[in-house]
């Protein structure tokens, strides 16, 4: 009996081992999955459409009947429409009813010929939104917490009434069939590629002129601030552009004729009635929505059986000064990642068929990106369509606190935000292998197209610097403050001499091209250190000691910089008056920490002008020390306005201009290292730090892609988040190779537990001796994979099979990344499990 049991046990072990060795790779939303299947491209039905222009790539059509703008791509036969192009259900039903009344003897076939299908789970108001080129949400100043919505189409328009269960997203009711007055597209200045639609809304006194510019790439939509007119323009909450363009899904009710017979005094009368009672899906085509969440994410098309929250990306982050409240509390979850670039897209098919990329060149500082599944649980989209679009904020509700006890009321901005909108749509077709059509119809083509646009417009430029080995980022946390019996005292965990010794050690062990940032390099440390200029500390290193060390390390080829956050301030180390940014409600914007250690419990934000002056003061007072670069946080990724008074406002547009001017005053030979910088600062950035390798991983997101890294490739060095907090597994090292992103660490000389009573207690594992071997191992792995391609342009990325990625570079080299537990053969070359191979 014992031997039988042992035999069974051995068999079970063998079976289990067999499944382990040959396990199917299980994909998650962190992976990039295989491309979707091909789609069947249906020719454009031109009924009702008027051809307005044609060029080598496109035919442009407009349908006055329901306001649909259509782009027919001659390269692939695909048609993009600004909406779902469906007649209003009420119009269809009334047309059929009138036909039967006027033609009592009509046959069933005659009736069915004009009885078009109805949209399921739609009504006139939702169909008005789904057909609209623009949609306006407007606010009621008497009840500001109940936003209303009006759409822009050529013949009908609707208002969205408040839903008591959800004051932000509303149920719908028909307003009037003629609530928008508009003429046909007007040609502008006899330019055959420039048209304009004039919308005049009746629910509120607002007129908007919408410009259409037709190009060889696609088209663009422009709304000029000076052409938004009327007495109620300050009530505009937002304007959305083509909210249903490229939408997926939809269901229709098919018509059938029912005959009912009844007796009347005159005799038998046959009454015919049309019913729509067979619900079917509209044709489904596989594809996905791309959103710039983290490194980039895809939301694959599917019919959602259960409601999921959609994705909302606040481009450059929300304006803190215009949030609903001046006071916020640290969330008990990891914050969502904000888009650092104003771009999104939709792809249909297997990546070689049809896609569009949309980006905004004006108004991006007020832009949001919405992507919603069908029947989303946040109630923004209650239809059977998946949608993605942009939304621009003009006004919003905020809480006006009017006394120290916190009494408040809801209010709107007295004056809306002012800005121009210019949003571009680039249509992509094919596999990107032809000179006249070089962009694949997938997220890779979108990224390369956007990269080329940024280079052509001067935002990005390729660096001439060539490396033999990859660079490495080694930051140091030097000190921070903790509470003392009286006041505070500094906890020093790394001196400048120890920085010198550690960097020398790493270089001697084969870690090359090191650049470094020094956090907490002065009295007060990371939290309470002075912003305007360093307050040197002998316990960390005097000014002369820094000067000697920086000079010595520069001669070794090691770049050391001062690392400072110029936007986060505390009342414990400076007066808030004239230093702290004010919310639109007149109070200082504050951020309360949920769990506090150290001497601070809440943070404030420096005014944009003050942060800018501190950057330049520090630079001017330390440039002679010999720093070859400076490292910036906060100012690189936080964008907000400042309300000194109702008449004295620094808008986010002003802030962008101020920060741009600030960086132009830093010598061009000085490199700029920036933490997750926003796109408007990319012209000045040499090193992109804390580059995300994941998305926020919303449930609706199905894939993660390196869109950001593809865009920035060749223009700046990309460094991942700190490996001693994130990267312990081989798959994480492979992801850095896959995403062409260099490793980074943050270190201390002394054990990290010494910081436990400071605000830097979240740096929980930093001691150099614990990570010396890991630093060398990760560097050598990534260097052996990327050294041959890091100076080349990244031109392609494909999924060979689940868990196996092939990246292609301009010199013809390929890097194969195998995330699976199985060996893979590619072009006759073996790629071991959880490994990579450079294919030449």
């Amino acid at each position: 009996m014992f031997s039988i049991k042992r035999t069974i046990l051995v068999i079970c072990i063998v079976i289990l081992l067999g499944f382990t060795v040959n396990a199917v790779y299980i994909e998650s939303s962190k992976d990039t999955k295989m491309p979707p299947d091909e789609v069947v491209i249906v020719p454009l039905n031109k009924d009702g459409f008027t051809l307005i222009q044609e060029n080598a790539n496109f035919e442009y059509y407009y349908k006055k009947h329901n306001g649909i703008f259509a782009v027919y791509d001659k390269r692939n036969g695909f048609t993009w429409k600004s909406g779902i192009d469906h007649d209003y259900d009420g119009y269809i039903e009334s047309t059929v009813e009138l036909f039967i009344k006027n033609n009592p003897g009509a046959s069933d076939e005659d009736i069915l010929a004009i009885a078009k299908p109805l949209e399921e789970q739609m009504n006139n108001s939702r169909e008005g939104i789904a057909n609209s080129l623009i949609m306006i949400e407007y606010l009621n100043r008497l009840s500001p917490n109940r936003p209303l919505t009006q759409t822009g189409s050529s013949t009908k328009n609707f208002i969205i009434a408040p839903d008591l269960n959800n004051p932000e997203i509303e149920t719908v009711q028909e307003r009037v069939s003629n609530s928008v007055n508009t003429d046909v597209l007007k040609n502008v200045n006899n330019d055959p590629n420039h048209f304009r639609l004039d919308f005049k809304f009746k629910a509120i006194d607002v007129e908007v002129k919408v410009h259409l510019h037709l190009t060889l790439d696609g088209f663009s939509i422009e709304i000029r601030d000076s052409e938004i007119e009327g007495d109620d323009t300050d009530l505009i909450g937002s304007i959305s552009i083509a909210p249903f363009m490229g939408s997926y899904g939809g269901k229709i009710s098919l018509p059938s004729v029912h005959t009912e017979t009844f007796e009347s005094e005159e005799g038998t009368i046959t009454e015919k009635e049309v019913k729509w009672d067979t619900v079917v899906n509209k044709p489904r085509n596989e594809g996905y929505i791309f959103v710039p969440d983290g490194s980039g994410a895809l939301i694959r098309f599917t019919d959602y059986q259960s409601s999921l929250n959609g994705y909302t990306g606040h481009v450059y982050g929300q304006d803190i000064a215009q949030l609903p409240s001046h006071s916020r509390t640290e969330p008990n979850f990891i914050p969502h990642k904000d888009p650092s670039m104003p771009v999104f897209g939709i792809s249909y098919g297997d990546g070689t068929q049809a896609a569009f990329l949309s980006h905004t060149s004006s108004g991006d500082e007020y832009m949001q990106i919405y992507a919603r599944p069908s029947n989303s649980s946040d109630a923004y989209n209650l239809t059977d369509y998946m949608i993605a679009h942009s939304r621009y904020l003009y006004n919003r509700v905020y809480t006006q606190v009017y006394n120290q006890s916190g009494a408040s009321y809801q209010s709107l901005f007295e004056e809306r935000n002012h800005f121009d909108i210019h949003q571009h749509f680039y249509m992509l077709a094919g596999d990107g292998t032809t000179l006249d059509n070089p962009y694949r119809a997938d997220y890779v083509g979108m990224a390369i197209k956007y990269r080329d646009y940024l280079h052509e417009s001067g935002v990005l430029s390729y660096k001439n610097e060539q490396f033999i080995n990859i660079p490495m980022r080694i930051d140091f946390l030097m000190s921070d403050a903790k509470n003392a019996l009286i006041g505070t005292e500094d906890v020093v965990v790394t001196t400048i001499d120890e920085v010198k010794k550690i960097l020398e050690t790493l270089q001697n062990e084969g870690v090359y091209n090191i650049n470094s940032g020094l956090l907490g390099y002065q009295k007060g440390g990371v939290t309470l250190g002075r912003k305007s200029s360093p307050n040197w500390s002998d316990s960390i290193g005097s000014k002369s000691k820094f000067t000697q060390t920086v000079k010595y390390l520069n001669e070794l080829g090691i770049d050391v910089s001062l690392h400072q956050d110029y936007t986060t301030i505390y009342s414990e180390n400076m007066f808030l008056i004239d230093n702290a940014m004010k919310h639109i409600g007149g109070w200082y914007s504050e951020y309360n920490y949920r769990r506090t250690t150290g001497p601070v419990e809440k943070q404030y934000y420096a005014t944009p002008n003050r942060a800018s002056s501190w950057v330049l003061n520090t630079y001017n007072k330390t440039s002679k020390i010999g720093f070859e670069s400076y490292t910036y946080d906060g100012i690189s990724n936080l964008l907000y306005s400042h309300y000194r008074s109702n008449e004295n406002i620094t808008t986010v547009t002003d802030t962008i201009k101020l920060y741009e001017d600030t960086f132009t005053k830093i010598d061009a030979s000085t490199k700029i290292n920036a933490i997750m910088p926003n796109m408007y600062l990319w012209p000045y950035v040499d090193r992109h730090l804390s580059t995300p390798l994941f998305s926020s991983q919303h449930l609706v997101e199905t894939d993660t892609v390196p869109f950001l890294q593809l865009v920035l490739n060749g223009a700046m060095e990309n460094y991942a988040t700190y490996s001693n907090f994130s990267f312990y597994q081989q798959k994480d090292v492979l992801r850095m190779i896959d995403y062409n992103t260099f490793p980074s660490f943050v270190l201390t000389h002394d054990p990290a537990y010494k910081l436990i009573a400071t605000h830097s207690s979240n740096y929980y594992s930093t001691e150099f001796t614990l990570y010396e071997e890991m630093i060398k191992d990760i560097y050598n792995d990534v260097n052996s994979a990327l050294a041959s391609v890091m100076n080349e342009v990244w031109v392609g990325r494909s999924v060979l099979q689940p868990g196996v990625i092939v990246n292609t570079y301009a010199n013809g080299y390929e890097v194969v990344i195998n995330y699976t537990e199985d060996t893979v053969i590619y072009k006759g070359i073996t790629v071991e499990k959880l490994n990579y191979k450079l294919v030449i």
Side-chain angles (χ1 to χ4, degrees):
M1 179 64 73
F2 174 76
S3 61
I4 292 174
K5 288 182 178 180
R6 183 169 61 184
T7 302
I8 293 172
L9 178 61
V10 170
I11 291 172
C12 290
I13 292 173
V14 169
I15 291 173
L16 288 173
L17 288 176
F19 277 117
T20 302
V21 172
N22 300 294
V24 175
Y25 184 75
I26 300 175
E27 296 174 304
S28 72
S29 61
K30 297 179 181 179
D31 294 288
T32 306
K33 300 179 175 64
M34 295 289 289
D37 291 336
E38 288 188 10
V39 302
V40 177
I41 296 178
V42 179
L44 170 64
N45 180 354
K46 299 180 182 179
D47 291 347
F49 280 102
T50 300
L51 177 68
I52 61 172
Q53 181 55 296
E54 181 178 3
N55 59 34
N57 293 331
F58 307 104
E59 295 174 2
Y60 301 94
Y61 294 88
Y62 183 70
K63 184 187 286 187
K64 183 181 179 182
H65 174 63
N66 56 10
I68 293 295
F69 172 68
V71 182
Y72 172 74
D73 193 330
K74 296 192 288 188
R75 300 167 300 177
N76 58 10
F78 196 89
T79 302
W80 297 96
K81 297 181 180 180
S82 59
I84 64 172
D85 189 18
H86 191 277
D87 288 335
Y88 300 98
D89 289 353
Y91 171 79
I92 294 172
E93 291 174 319
S94 61
T95 300
V96 173
E97 183 180 341
L98 183 62
F99 178 81
I100 294 174
K101 181 179 179 180
N102 293 334
N103 301 275
S107 68
D108 292 351
E109 291 75 14
D110 292 336
I111 296 172
L112 289 175
I114 67 164
K116 299 178 182 179
L118 301 183
E119 284 278 344
E120 182 70 11
Q121 202 166 326
M122 298 284 266
N123 54 30
N124 283 345
S125 296
R126 293 182 188 174
E127 286 165 355
I129 294 171
N131 279 331
S132 295
L133 186 64
I134 65 169
M135 178 178 74
I136 288 183
E137 270 187 282
Y138 65 94
L139 302 158
N140 186 341
R141 202 172 286 280
L142 298 177
S143 302
N145 64 326
R146 292 184 173 184
L148 309 170
T149 302
Q150 192 162 12
T151 60
S153 61
S154 64
T155 58
K156 285 203 171 193
N157 220 340
F158 304 93
I159 185 172
I160 290 184
D163 179 357
L164 298 180
N165 296 319
N166 191 327
E168 294 184 358
I169 307 299
E170 311 77 17
T171 56
V172 290
Q173 68 181 32
E174 184 174 350
R175 178 71 174 185
V176 221
S177 63
N178 190 27
S179 62
V180 172
N181 290 336
T182 180
D183 296 326
V184 195
L185 276 172
K186 301 175 181 177
N187 185 251
V188 180
N189 298 327
N190 294 318
D191 182 348
N193 296 311
H194 185 183
F195 294 84
R196 195 185 76 204
L197 268 171
D198 297 345
F199 294 101
K200 184 174 182 179
F201 297 89
K202 288 190 174 181
I204 56 172
D205 185 9
V206 169
E207 298 180 28
V208 180
K209 293 179 173 62
V210 178
H211 295 259
L212 280 171
H213 301 275
L214 313 180
T215 72
L216 284 171
D217 286 322
F219 69 97
S220 67
I221 292 178
E222 181 187 12
I223 299 176
R224 300 168 185 172
D225 186 72
S226 60
E227 294 180 345
I228 301 176
E229 300 174 327
D231 291 339
D232 294 332
T233 58
D234 286 336
L235 298 182
I236 298 174
S238 68
I239 295 180
S240 296
I241 304 292
F244 275 71
M245 179 172 171
S247 58
Y248 162 91
K251 295 180 180 179
I252 54 175
S253 297
L254 300 178
S256 61
V257 178
H258 298 260
T259 303
E260 295 182 4
T261 303
F262 60 93
E263 285 287 333
S264 68
E265 293 180 358
E266 292 80 15
T268 302
I269 295 179
T270 301
E271 188 75 23
K272 294 184 176 180
E273 180 184 8
V274 178
K275 293 185 177 180
W276 284 266
D277 51 10
T278 304
V279 178
V280 299
N281 286 338
K282 297 178 81 169
R284 297 297 198 253
N285 284 315
E286 290 197 29
Y288 53 74
I289 299 166
F290 158 73
V291 293
D293 181 23
S295 63
L298 308 182
I299 303 172
R300 299 217 173 200
F301 292 148
T302 186
D303 293 308
Y304 287 92
Q305 300 302 316
S306 59
S307 297
L308 291 178
N309 281 324
Y311 167 79
T312 302
H314 303 277
V315 176
Y316 311 142
Q318 296 196 70
D319 181 0
I320 302 166
Q322 291 189 351
L323 288 176
S325 173
H326 73 279
S327 181
R328 295 182 298 150
T329 299
E330 180 182 23
N332 55 6
F333 55 85
I334 298 175
H336 298 152
K337 298 175 174 65
D338 292 316
S340 60
M341 48 189 166
V343 60
F344 70 97
I346 289 178
S347 173
Y348 274 97
D350 63 359
T352 68
Q353 295 188 273
F356 77 75
L357 165 74
S358 182
H359 81 90
T360 296
S361 60
S362 181
D364 44 320
E365 63 268 39
Y366 295 97
M367 178 182 177
Q368 295 176 322
I369 297 169
Y370 272 60
R372 289 294 186 275
S374 54
N375 302 294
S376 60
S377 63
D378 56 14
Y380 182 83
N381 177 30
L382 297 175
T383 73
D384 279 311
Y385 289 90
M386 290 185 67
I387 60 174
H389 65 89
S390 60
R391 181 173 181 257
Y392 299 87
L393 295 178
Y394 286 85
N395 206 330
R396 65 189 304 180
V397 180
Y398 72 95
T399 301
Q400 177 66 65
V401 179
Y402 58 85
N403 62 24
Q404 293 291 339
S405 63
S408 64
Y409 59 88
Q410 300 293 294
S411 184
L412 305 178
F413 307 163
E414 289 189 10
E415 184 174 352
R416 65 174 177 84
N417 296 321
H418 290 275
F419 55 93
D420 296 331
I421 296 173
H422 201 166
Q423 183 170 330
H424 307 261
F425 292 84
Y426 298 141
M427 277 60 194
L428 312 181
D431 61 5
T433 57
T434 61
L435 291 176
D436 60 340
N437 191 22
Y439 305 106
R440 282 179 61 89
D442 65 358
Y443 73 89
V444 176
M446 296 178 198
I448 295 175
K449 176 61 182 176
Y450 189 52
R451 180 173 73 194
D452 287 351
Y453 162 79
L454 293 175
H455 281 273
E456 291 165 4
S457 60
V459 175
L460 294 178
S461 59
Y462 289 109
K463 305 299 181 185
N464 296 321
E465 194 171 13
Q466 300 287 303
F467 295 111
I468 297 175
N469 297 290
I470 68 166
M472 179 76 167
R473 181 76 180 182
I474 303 291
D475 286 343
F476 291 93
L477 201 164
M478 305 187 80
S479 71
D480 207 353
K482 71 174 183 179
N483 288 317
L485 186 61
I486 299 177
T488 63
E489 65 178 77
D490 291 348
V491 178
V492 178
V493 288
T494 314
T495 67
I496 190 62
D497 285 333
E498 289 164 347
V499 167
K500 173 185 173 183
K501 182 178 179 181
I502 290 172
L503 292 178
E504 281 182 311
T505 299
L506 289 174
Q507 188 173 73
N508 292 334
E509 293 176 340
V511 179
Y512 305 111
N513 291 337
I514 299 174
N515 59 85
S516 177
L518 307 178
L519 295 85
Y521 53 85
Q522 57 178 316
K523 290 179 181 178
V526 174
T527 304
L528 300 182
R530 196 157 61 188
K531 305 286 186 182
S532 56
S533 62
N535 186 11
W536 305 105
S537 166
D538 288 338
S539 59
I540 301 171
S542 63
K543 182 178 180 180
S544 62
K545 178 65 72 172
F546 268 78
T547 303
Q548 295 169 11
T549 303
V550 169
K551 182 177 184 296
Y552 174 76
L553 292 174
N554 286 345
E555 291 171 351
L556 293 181
I558 299 174
D559 174 6
V560 176
S561 65
L562 300 180
H563 181 142
Q564 185 68 274
D565 180 348
Y566 289 97
T567 56
T568 299
I569 62 175
Y570 304 98
S571 60
E572 285 78 4
N573 69 334
M574 69 176 63
F575 292 113
L576 298 182
I577 297 175
D578 294 331
N579 288 316
M581 175 270 287
K582 283 190 174 182
H583 183 265
I584 189 172
W587 299 78
Y588 294 122
S589 288
E590 60 184 29
Y591 186 77
N592 302 286
Y593 296 119
R594 187 175 293 275
R595 292 169 291 276
T596 61
T597 55
V600 297
E601 293 185 354
K602 68 174 62 176
Q603 74 177 47
Y604 299 88
Y605 302 90
T607 69
N609 274 290
R610 188 65 74 197
S612 172
S613 67
W614 289 338
V615 167
L616 293 177
N617 285 342
T618 300
Y619 170 72
N620 292 330
K621 293 183 179 181
T622 60
S623 58
K624 292 183 179 180
I625 291 177
F627 293 110
E628 295 181 345
S629 71
Y630 286 82
T631 301
Y632 299 103
D633 194 2
I635 194 173
S636 61
N637 50 60
L638 284 179
L639 179 63
Y640 50 79
S641 51
H642 169 46
Y643 288 80
R644 285 161 285 189
S645 66
N646 288 334
E647 293 76 31
N648 196 351
I649 301 170
T650 301
T651 68
V652 287
T653 309
D654 297 331
T655 301
I656 289 176
K657 181 64 166 60
L658 178 64
Y659 290 170
E660 289 173 337
D661 292 343
T662 298
F663 283 106
T664 58
K665 294 175 183 176
I666 296 175
D667 191 275
S669 63
T670 302
K671 290 188 174 181
I672 301 299
N673 317 307
I675 307 294
M676 295 183 293
N678 290 327
M679 184 272 290
Y680 51 83
L681 292 180
W682 287 357
Y684 316 99
V685 175
D686 298 278
R687 299 186 180 115
H688 189 291
L689 308 182
S690 295
T691 308
L693 298 185
F694 299 95
S695 67
S696 298
Q697 298 178 54
H698 297 271
L699 290 177
V700 75
E701 295 173 342
T702 56
D703 303 54
T704 302
V705 295
F707 187 94
L708 176 63
Q709 286 85 346
L710 279 161
V711 170
L712 297 179
N713 170 247
M716 61 186 75
E717 301 163 23
N718 295 312
Y719 294 87
T721 51
Y722 294 135
S723 292
N724 47 318
F725 295 141
S726 303
F727 298 100
Y728 289 104
Q729 299 180 9
Q730 179 64 11
K731 282 187 178 181
D732 297 318
V733 178
L734 291 176
R735 184 173 287 263
M736 280 190 276
I737 296 169
D738 181 8
Y739 283 34
N740 206 337
T741 303
F742 306 131
S744 68
F745 285 80
V746 60
L747 305 174
T748 58
H749 176 272
D750 295 348
Y753 69 77
K754 289 188 176 182
L755 296 167
I756 197 169
T758 74
H759 193 56
S760 295
S761 59
N762 56 322
Y763 291 87
Y764 52 82
S765 182
T766 55
E767 187 178 356
F768 171 62
T769 56
L770 300 177
Y771 290 102
E772 184 174 356
E773 293 303 315
M774 180 186 285
I775 292 171
K776 291 187 294 183
D777 290 343
I778 290 180
Y779 180 81
N780 289 333
D781 277 347
V782 179
N783 188 46
S784 63
L786 296 182
S788 299
V789 297
M790 65 177 173
N791 299 315
E792 298 293 328
V793 178
W794 189 1
V795 296
R797 182 175 188 265
S798 59
V799 183
L800 184 65
Q801 65 185 58
V804 182
I805 305 295
V806 180
N807 286 322
T808 307
Y809 293 85
N811 61 355
Y813 287 15
E814 295 176 305
V815 180
V816 183
I817 301 96
N818 181 10
Y819 289 101
T820 76
E821 297 283 346
D822 297 319
T823 298
V824 174
I825 306 297
Y826 179 71
K827 293 184 177 180
I829 296 174
T830 300
V831 186
E832 300 295 335
K833 67 177 184 178
L834 294 174
N835 216 318
Y836 61 89
K837 185 71 71 173
L838 180 66
V839 179
I840 300 173

